[in-house]
Each structure stands twice: as structure tokens, then as C-alpha cells.
Amino acid sequence: MTTTNPVKPTISIDQIVRVYSGRPGCACGCRGNYREDLASFKRSLAKYSGATAVQTDEGDLDLDGNKFVYWRNDQGTRTYTIYYRYNT
Ligand SMILES: [Zn+2]
């Protein structure tokens, strides 16, 4: 179930395994990019800190067993996702 969290999950940089940034719509990668490098993790985490509302699919995990949180920028023109380990 999708929930919009008034309180954002706390995510530290060492939990992040993958980030996504792209235009709204399909998230297969055709409208944006998945990245797995530290510089991209830092960039996404900074945007995440500034995000006013984020969404989670509570209990849902990606294929690798990671949690994820996603949000759009204020203009609604870009969507971001952070995939992170939660049990380390
Ligand atoms: Zn696609």
C-alpha cells in the first residue's frame, strides 16, 4: 500500500544501494537513469533532505530485498527513488 509519509524514513549514505532519477512515468530506465556510485548517492540524499513529501510502499521490497522511497520535485517534472538496505 502506498503511503505518503509526513515523516521521512531516516536513510544514511551507507544504506543506499541504488538511486533513480528520471521524468515521471515508466521507471524501467527509458525515462531516466539508475546509478550506483557514491557521488549520485550523495546528490540524491541531498535532494531527499529537501523533499517536502515522499512516498513509500510500506512492506514492499525491490527484487534485491531493499526498501525504497520516492518523491517528485516541486515542479512535478522529475521523479527520484532511493533504494536502501534497512537491516544492516
Ligand atoms: Zn520504460
Side-chain angles (χ1 to χ4, degrees), residues 12-60:
S12 62
I13 190 85
D14 56 314
Q15 288 177 282
I16 302 176
V17 295
R18 190 178 304 113
V19 297
Y20 175 80
S21 167
R23 286 170 289 142
C26 181
C28 81
C30 68
R31 296 175 70 84
N33 291 292
Y34 289 92
R35 298 186 198 282
E36 298 186 348
D37 61 281
L38 187 59
S40 296
F41 293 173
K42 286 180 178 169
R43 213 159 36 234
S44 283
L45 204 54
K47 289 186 195 303
Y48 179 66
S49 303
T52 48
V54 301
Q55 294 188 304
T56 61
D57 290 341
E58 206 51 59
D60 275 8

